[in-house]
Amino acid sequence: MEIYTYIGNVLVSVNPYQQLPIYGPEFIARYWDHTFYELKPHVYALANVAYQSLRDQDQDQCILITGESGAGKTEASKLVMTYVAAVCGEGERVNSVKEQLLQSNPVLEAFGNAKTIRNNNSSRFGKYMDVEFDFKGSPLGGIITNYLLEKSRVVKHFEGERNFHIFYQLLAGADPQLLKALKLERDTNGYAYLNPGASRVDGVDDTANFKALQSAMTVIGFSKEEIRQVLEVVALVLKLGNVELADEFQANGAPASGIRDGRGIQEIGEMVGLNSVELERALCSRTMETAKEKVVTALNVVQAQYARDALAKNVYSRLFNWLVNRINESIEVGTGEKRKVMGVLDIYGFEILEDNSFEQFVINYCNEKLQQVFIEITLKEEQEEYKREGIPWVKVDYFDNGIICNLIEHNQQGILALLDEECLRPGVVSDSTFLAKLNQVFSKHGHYESKVTQNAQHQYDHSMGLNCFRICHYAGKVTYNVNSFIDKNNDLLFRDLSQAMWKAQHPLLRSLFPEGDPKQASLKRPPTAGVQFKGSVAILMKNLYSKKPNYIRCIKPNEHQQRGEFSSELVAIQARYLGLLENVRVRRAGYAYRQAYRSFLERYRLLSQSTWPRWDGGDREGVEKVLGELSVSSEELAFGKTKIFIRSPKTLFYLEDQRRLRIQQLATLIQKVYRGWRCRIHYQLMRKSQILISSWFRGHMQKKRYGKMKASALLIQAFARGWKARKNYRKYFRSGAALTLSNFIYKNIARKFLLGLKNDLPSTNVLDKRWPAAPYKYFNTANHELQKLFYQWKCKKFRDQLSPKQVEVLREKLCASELFKGKKASYPQSVPIPFHGDYIGLQGNPKLQKLKCREEGPVLVAEAVMKVNRGNGKTSSRILLLTKGHVIIADTKNSQAKAVIALNGVAGVSVTSFKDGLFSLHLSEISSVGSKGDFLLVSEHVIELLTKMYQAVLDATQRQLPVTVTEEFSVRFKESSLAVKVIQGPGGGGNGKLSCKKKGSRCLEVTVQ
């Protein structure tokens, strides 16, 4: 079965609605080794052309995949990504990047795709992925941009359709423990937001897909806690649909609403840490706030249901945006590297449904803009280029949809602009007033119709409703129902609901609603959905125009998703509105390849002896020389004013083949010259080395011969002198002379050693431990004892010179050394710094001086410290005073004592081994403040503070204060305990700054930056 064909460099793909054996590693390898037209048309061939152009010609690429919903766009984008991942480089880092890029698809499909009437895996959002490569063509990472998730599907979808895949995957694939934790039941019929009877899709295994989703999120870099939080938010959306609202009445008889069964609200509150009363109040009432006052209004049942559905849609939409941003954090590339970019656009197809609303309107607007890109680049720009270059050309007519795009997006008179104007207009605003304004402005527009315009032209169309208007799109006429246009464009969420979500103890849910923070509250109206989408489309168009486009035009063969069924009429309609017929006519009459003379000459000048290796003439003359020597037919060429045009791709392939062969020849030549140069250099080095070695060897042999002769002569002389001395000694020999001589010699040597030591004594500095070595081994013991005596004398002399205050300072430094040397990283920095004690100017603050008792003597340490809140990890400033009997912690603002701790109530101290000042003051339960729990403090002089505290406790209680150096310790907190875990940040903890983050209710993680 053939499902691919080409129109020039445009790939046309027909959805076969079945798996075909034309994909996989074997086909990837086959298309990697061949050019575009050498093998049968295939999506791999187009992906190969785009990748090789990016890698070899340094051109940024984009692949535009367009077509109706159900035409196979999503599958085509996955095949493109699979091919690019398979042919680019290898390596541990490269493989990791490729795996993350590929695994982003299952995550986005689970949360952004759904079964529709036309497609079992329809993308309900637009996705544009920029894959970034280095100069070698290896992927570095990427960034994903999403467009307009169809969040209305969360609360409403047509019969026979499903909600987003993730809801069914979660209920089918989660294990019983997870379902119990999420407070969910496996039966999909028990949820109002899921259509009964459409929970299963033929050929789709939700259980396997859920496991694949979890695996993909892990590969991308999601932690287990993040995955758990994402699933909890999904469960929250499901349970919101089951919250039933009932009619109630206020005291004055005005209608109000309330929760029919509070169990669902209570379960939601328990799961996300939210007060169920506050959530019920936010769902059933609305606070209107002005600059001067607040007015609380009760909502009736219809309004409360709208608020509930708006909350569900916003939670899911913001979760989806968070997922995209989280994936981008994992796959994004640093700003320092130069990179090339390949963009892949997989966006929702053109939609014509029985009831078309705001979502279909903006989807079809986006498709109009993409069609405009295709027209301008493929049809309009190409024909205008022939005229600019002076190439003979017969114009091919085509439909330019610029008038339709202008009808929708004009800044003052466009439909989106009028919709925004109506949303912002004071007074009574409704969908009917919006339609009336459209009828007034576009009454004579050729591509706009409504019941009013038809009546004015005396036309009768029973298919046109009173609340509808019709636009003649490039793909056909589409009738839109204006009901809910105003609400969907406003996309408002009551401030009460945002604030309620922000108060949740769930980290992810809380982060999705930053505007709920009262500190960031703003009365400014947010931009409308239409304005945001129009801006996103404008950025997308700018991005596409900056890259070389490659087109995949997807066609749906039938409306029933049946394999083997081909509707000629349906396919003809798609081919017509996709502009494929005009594209065929332009390609048949035009040229397949064109390039500026300079670029062409730079690439192919090596094929001619006249232009290689240097060409001093003009660019066009050089191109003519190259093509003339290659004997290329003149019918295949056209010389424009600035560019060369080549008609047939075969000619271009011929040039590339010749260039490839020539590069091989030049590479061989370069290798030959290089190898010859290396051999000559090697020979010259060997020759020099041989001469040097020979000269050194001859010199060495002569020196060795001379040494032997000299040793022999000395030996003969020694024997002769010895014989003569012995002969004379026998003449003068006396009894005991040897002992006398030896004693005399030993005394002389000892006297000489001691006198020499006297003149060579080291300095009297106690830090100077130098000592001269003994000249003979038998003096080693005496020399060692003399060294000890001299050092003890120096120390005594140094101590006698010290004042009592200096002695006390040294004792404190000695105590600090015993406590922290080799244990805490900040200790070496504290050694040369004197202990001051007063770091806050205690003498100038009478309030602080009154905090201590007169009998306790002076304050040992007065310092500003930071107290860490054990409940949320935040810090607050305090003043700490250490006396001989107490530890006093006071407020920095009013200098009032917050806690007075007797030293006998201090049970111990825990401190980390890093360069930070964090320490925990453990208190015994018998102390006056022991019931409140331990203190977690941060000091900039932690070495001095703990040393003096150790000595003060020792003096006051005659016991040693336990000082524990550890990264994990427990802090008592009222009736429970809090585990504190200290870790080093990416910077290695060099500056000692701290960042505290609460992990659950019983763990505090402190990061040393």
Side-chain angles (χ1 to χ4, degrees):
M1 180 183 293
E2 300 292 340
I3 64 170
Y4 296 115
T5 188
Y6 295 140
I7 302 176
N9 58 355
V10 176
L11 176 70
V12 180
S13 170
V14 179
N15 192 344
Y17 293 117
Q18 61 177 314
Q19 294 292 333
L20 297 179
I22 57 173
Y23 307 105
E26 178 185 352
F27 286 87
I28 290 175
R30 185 183 304 174
Y31 280 89
W32 171 246
D33 293 331
H34 294 80
T35 53
F36 192 58
Y37 292 100
E38 286 187 87
L39 298 177
K40 290 181 179 181
H42 202 288
V43 66
Y44 287 166
L46 183 120
N48 184 48
V49 167
Y51 176 71
Q52 290 190 351
S53 298
L54 175 136
R55 186 193 61 184
D56 300 337
Q57 300 180 13
D58 198 20
Q59 289 182 329
D60 287 351
Q61 305 287 314
C62 65
I63 298 177
L64 276 66
I65 307 171
T66 57
E68 283 192 14
S69 177
K73 300 184 298 301
T74 300
E75 291 301 318
S77 69
K78 290 193 286 189
L79 290 171
V80 169
M81 292 301 301
T82 302
Y83 180 85
V84 173
V87 300
C88 58
E90 296 288 340
E92 183 177 351
R93 178 172 177 269
V94 172
N95 290 338
S96 174
V97 171
K98 290 193 294 187
E99 191 65 21
Q100 287 182 337
L101 290 172
L102 291 176
Q103 291 302 322
S104 65
N105 272 327
V107 178
L108 295 179
E109 281 190 18
F111 287 87
N113 287 25
K115 177 191 181 301
T116 64
I117 296 174
R118 296 184 171 190
N119 189 356
N120 288 344
N121 188 31
S122 177
S123 297
R124 308 317 299 164
F125 71 105
K127 179 182 72 173
Y128 178 75
M129 175 184 284
D130 267 336
V131 184
E132 300 176 347
F133 300 83
D134 61 12
F135 70 97
K136 297 178 294 185
S138 299
L140 298 171
I143 186 168
I144 298 171
T145 307
N146 63 302
Y147 301 93
L148 191 70
L149 177 73
E150 188 191 14
K151 58 185 179 183
S152 62
R153 178 169 292 273
V154 174
V155 301
K156 180 183 178 182
H157 34 278
F158 295 113
E159 184 178 354
E161 295 189 347
R162 294 207 314 177
N163 211 320
F164 292 102
H165 292 328
I166 181 60
F167 297 115
Y168 306 94
Q169 293 176 4
L170 174 61
L171 295 178
D175 55 63
Q177 292 81 4
L178 179 58
L179 286 177
K180 183 178 179 182
L182 299 178
K183 305 182 186 304
L184 296 175
E185 300 292 337
R186 200 174 296 278
D187 185 12
T188 58
N189 293 324
Y191 300 96
Y193 283 162
L194 305 183
N195 272 349
S199 61
R200 296 192 178 275
V201 180
D202 293 339
V204 176
D205 187 346
D206 290 322
T207 302
N209 289 341
F210 183 71
K211 294 180 180 178
L213 168 67
Q214 291 178 306
S215 174
M217 294 180 76
T218 303
V219 170
I220 292 172
F222 285 81
S223 65
K224 291 183 178 179
E225 184 63 24
E226 286 177 322
I227 296 174
R228 174 74 172 236
Q229 291 177 10
V230 168
L231 296 180
E232 287 173 348
V233 175
V234 173
L236 164 67
V237 175
L238 273 178
K239 298 191 76 62
L240 272 176
N242 287 355
V243 174
E244 296 186 14
L245 297 151
D247 283 313
E248 291 184 0
F249 294 94
Q250 303 181 59
N252 59 2
S257 59
I259 304 299
R260 190 185 302 276
D261 182 4
R263 179 184 174 188
I265 287 288
Q266 185 176 359
E267 289 181 349
I268 292 175
E270 292 174 355
M271 185 169 60
V272 298
L274 182 63
N275 189 337
S276 59
V277 177
E278 290 188 1
L279 179 56
E280 181 177 357
R281 185 186 305 117
L283 286 172
C284 298
S285 63
R286 181 183 181 185
T287 302
M288 303 295 291
E289 183 175 354
T290 64
K292 297 181 179 180
E293 62 178 349
K294 293 183 179 180
V295 178
V296 179
T297 305
L299 303 178
N300 59 35
V301 172
V302 175
Q303 293 171 332
Q305 289 173 347
Y306 173 82
R308 177 200 63 191
D309 292 344
L311 176 61
K313 291 188 290 184
N314 271 272
V315 169
Y316 191 83
S317 175
R318 297 183 187 203
L319 173 64
F320 186 77
N321 292 334
W322 181 88
L323 284 169
V324 174
N325 293 332
R326 178 63 180 82
I327 293 172
N328 286 336
E329 289 178 8
S330 298
I331 65 177
E332 68 180 351
V333 186
T335 57
E337 296 187 68
K338 183 180 179 182
R339 47 193 181 269
K340 309 171 185 179
V341 179
M342 176 186 289
V344 180
L345 177 65
D346 173 19
I347 205 160
Y348 16 59
F350 195 88
E351 290 191 349
I352 306 177
L353 306 178
E354 292 181 4
D355 185 16
N356 301 287
S357 187
F358 180 76
E359 292 83 4
Q360 283 69 44
F361 176 73
V362 293
I363 286 173
N364 294 342
Y365 160 60
C366 181
N367 279 271
E368 286 285 357
K369 294 295 291 183
L370 292 175
Q371 178 69 5
Q372 190 177 34
V373 173
F374 177 76
I375 289 172
E376 292 192 0
I377 295 178
T378 306
L379 302 177
K380 183 178 179 180
E381 176 63 26
E382 184 165 350
Q383 296 192 76
E384 290 179 354
E385 184 179 34
Y386 291 142
K387 292 181 180 180
R388 286 196 308 268
E389 293 292 328
I391 305 299
W393 181 255
V394 178
K395 183 179 179 181
V396 176
D397 294 327
Y398 57 89
F399 171 68
D400 188 351
N401 69 333
I403 187 173
I404 303 176
C405 295
N406 194 54
L407 168 68
I408 299 173
E409 68 180 3
H410 191 277
N411 289 335
Q412 284 82 31
Q413 297 296 319
I415 294 177
L416 287 175
L418 295 176
L419 179 59
D420 271 3
E421 181 181 329
E422 194 68 12
C423 290
L424 299 174
R425 182 173 63 84
V428 178
V429 176
S430 66
D431 298 315
S432 300
T433 60
F434 166 61
L435 181 59
K437 179 171 286 189
L438 292 184
N439 293 331
Q440 178 184 353
V441 176
F442 302 117
S443 59
K444 297 182 180 180
H445 198 288
H447 293 268
Y448 174 86
E449 295 178 8
S450 69
K451 201 71 174 177
V452 174
T453 61
Q454 287 180 349
N455 291 337
Q457 298 174 7
H458 304 290
Q459 297 177 357
Y460 177 73
D461 185 357
H462 67 277
S463 64
M464 178 73 73
L466 292 175
N467 293 328
C468 297
F469 67 92
R470 181 178 296 159
I471 295 179
C472 300
H473 287 283
Y474 77 95
K477 295 183 178 181
V478 183
T479 303
Y480 299 101
N481 191 332
V482 296
N483 289 337
S484 301
F485 259 60
I486 298 293
D487 288 340
K488 292 179 179 178
N489 188 53
N490 280 326
D491 194 23
L492 294 178
L493 181 69
F494 296 154
R495 186 176 292 109
D496 305 68
L497 294 171
S498 298
Q499 293 175 350
M501 293 298 102
W502 187 82
K503 292 178 181 178
Q505 299 302 312
H506 194 274
L508 174 56
L509 183 62
R510 183 186 178 97
S511 68
L512 298 181
F513 292 87
E515 76 277 11
D517 186 353
K519 297 179 181 178
Q520 300 182 10
S522 173
L523 299 179
K524 184 179 178 181
R525 186 186 185 95
T528 61
V531 169
Q532 295 181 50
F533 187 73
K534 181 181 174 182
S536 300
V537 170
I539 295 172
L540 174 63
M541 295 301 110
K542 182 179 179 181
N543 203 348
L544 296 180
Y545 279 120
S546 67
K547 298 177 176 61
K548 180 183 176 183
N550 302 271
Y551 291 97
I552 301 178
R553 310 292 265 180
C554 297
I555 291 180
K556 182 168 59 175
N558 61 77
E559 292 282 8
H560 312 294
Q561 304 181 35
Q562 295 295 321
R563 60 183 180 181
E565 181 180 335
F566 189 87
S567 173
S568 300
E569 182 180 354
L570 178 63
V571 172
I573 292 173
Q574 295 175 78
R576 189 177 301 110
Y577 72 66
L578 287 174
L580 300 183
L581 302 180
E582 294 86 349
N583 194 12
V584 169
R585 289 200 294 270
V586 171
R587 279 298 174 182
R588 282 180 176 175
Y591 296 84
Y593 178 78
R594 75 288 318 272
Q595 194 171 21
Y597 287 126
R598 178 175 294 277
S599 301
F600 185 90
L601 185 60
E602 283 296 323
R603 185 165 183 81
Y604 297 108
R605 66 190 180 95
L606 51 81
L607 299 179
S608 171
Q609 295 181 356
S610 303
T611 57
W612 180 262
R614 183 178 179 83
W615 171 254
D616 297 324
D619 295 335
R620 175 166 178 166
E621 290 79 6
V623 172
E624 291 174 348
K625 281 281 186 184
V626 172
L627 296 174
E629 293 186 15
L630 291 174
S631 301
V632 178
S633 173
S634 59
E635 296 179 356
E636 289 290 317
L637 305 174
F639 292 91
K641 296 177 182 178
T642 62
K643 294 182 179 180
I644 175 69
F645 291 79
I646 298 175
R647 185 179 299 278
S648 172
K650 293 182 180 179
T651 304
L652 181 62
F653 298 151
Y654 170 73
L655 290 175
E656 286 294 323
D657 290 340
Q658 293 298 316
R659 183 177 182 272
R660 194 179 302 112
L661 293 174
R662 181 59 176 159
I663 288 176
Q664 293 177 358
Q665 294 172 359
L666 292 176
T668 304
L669 177 62
I670 293 171
Q671 290 174 353
K672 180 180 71 173
V673 173
Y674 175 74
R675 288 180 183 137
W677 174 79
R678 284 294 303 272
C679 288
R680 285 192 297 275
I681 294 297
H682 186 251
Y683 167 74
Q684 292 172 359
L685 289 175
M686 289 181 64
R687 188 170 182 272
K688 289 180 181 179
S689 301
Q690 187 271 332
I691 294 173
L692 183 63
I693 292 171
S694 298
S695 63
W696 275 95
F697 179 76
R698 286 194 292 269
H700 172 72
M701 290 300 294
Q702 292 299 324
K703 289 177 183 178
K704 187 175 180 181
R705 183 170 178 271
Y706 168 76
K708 288 182 178 180
M709 293 174 64
K710 183 179 179 180
S712 300
L714 292 175
L715 183 62
I716 293 172
Q717 290 175 0
F719 271 103
R721 291 191 187 101
W723 173 79
K724 186 176 181 180
R726 285 192 297 275
K727 184 177 179 182
N728 293 331
Y729 178 74
R730 283 194 294 268
K731 184 189 298 186
Y732 301 106
F733 178 75
R734 296 290 184 272
S735 176
L739 182 60
T740 303
L741 287 172
S742 64
N743 289 335
F744 176 78
I745 293 170
Y746 181 82
K747 290 178 181 179
N748 277 315
I749 291 173
R751 185 168 57 253
K752 184 177 180 181
F753 164 65
L754 293 174
L755 291 175
L757 186 62
K758 172 188 174 184
N759 298 326
D760 197 23
L761 285 175
S763 66
T764 58
N765 188 347
V766 293
L767 298 178
D768 187 2
K769 295 187 179 181
R770 292 182 297 107
W771 187 257
Y776 300 101
K777 289 185 178 180
Y778 50 81
F779 286 153
N780 282 346
T781 304
N783 190 48
H784 183 66
E785 293 297 326
L786 288 172
Q787 181 182 4
K788 287 171 59 178
L789 289 172
F790 182 77
Y791 184 76
Q792 291 173 358
W793 172 77
K794 284 197 299 184
C795 292
K796 182 179 183 305
K797 186 176 180 182
F798 177 78
R799 286 194 301 272
D800 293 339
Q801 296 173 353
L802 296 176
S803 64
K805 184 176 182 180
Q806 290 175 320
V807 172
E808 183 62 28
V809 170
L810 286 178
R811 283 178 179 170
E812 290 178 346
K813 287 292 184 179
L814 179 61
C815 180
S817 173
E818 294 174 350
L819 291 175
F820 300 111
K821 184 176 181 181
K823 300 178 183 178
K824 186 160 181 66
S826 59
Y827 169 74
Q829 298 176 356
S830 69
V831 172
I833 301 174
F835 290 168
H836 293 295
D838 184 6
Y839 293 96
I840 61 173
L842 185 63
Q843 298 300 325
N845 196 332
K847 289 185 178 181
L848 292 177
Q849 292 180 6
K850 293 179 180 180
L851 295 178
K852 70 180 185 64
C853 298
R854 295 182 178 179
E855 296 80 17
E856 292 182 348
V859 175
L860 301 178
V861 177
E863 180 189 6
V865 299
M866 300 300 293
K867 177 179 177 296
V868 180
N869 191 308
R870 297 157 298 185
N872 53 21
K874 295 183 179 179
T875 59
S876 56
S877 179
R878 294 288 187 271
I879 293 176
L880 186 145
L881 302 180
L882 174 64
T883 67
K884 291 185 178 181
H886 293 84
V887 176
I888 304 171
I889 298 175
D891 195 331
T892 55
K893 295 181 180 179
N894 53 25
S895 301
Q896 295 295 322
K898 290 288 186 178
V900 179
I901 307 165
L903 291 182
N904 59 3
V906 179
V909 176
S910 295
V911 66
T912 73
S913 63
F914 303 134
K915 289 187 177 182
D916 61 288
L918 179 70
F919 70 97
S920 174
L921 202 61
H922 301 294
L923 306 181
S924 61
E925 296 183 354
I926 63 172
S927 66
S928 59
V929 294
S931 60
K932 296 182 180 179
D934 302 336
F935 285 88
L936 196 58
L937 305 172
V938 182
S939 168
E940 293 183 358
H941 309 89
V942 67
I943 301 295
E944 177 182 355
L945 175 60
L946 297 185
T947 300
K948 291 190 175 181
M949 187 181 295
Y950 178 89
Q951 291 181 329
V953 171
L954 185 62
D955 295 337
T957 64
Q958 303 303 316
R959 66 179 177 89
Q960 293 183 346
L961 177 66
V963 179
T964 306
V965 181
T966 178
E967 276 65 60
E968 295 185 11
F969 52 89
S970 178
V971 178
R972 286 195 307 105
F973 183 20
K974 296 182 178 179
E975 300 297 330
S976 61
S977 63
L978 179 71
V980 180
K981 182 179 180 182
V982 185
I983 60 173
Q984 274 191 338
N991 54 21
K993 293 183 178 180
L994 300 178
S995 174
C996 303
K997 184 177 181 182
K998 196 75 177 290
K999 295 284 188 177
S1001 61
R1002 296 185 178 273
C1003 181
L1004 179 66
E1005 186 179 275
V1006 182
T1007 304
V1008 184
Q1009 304 293 337

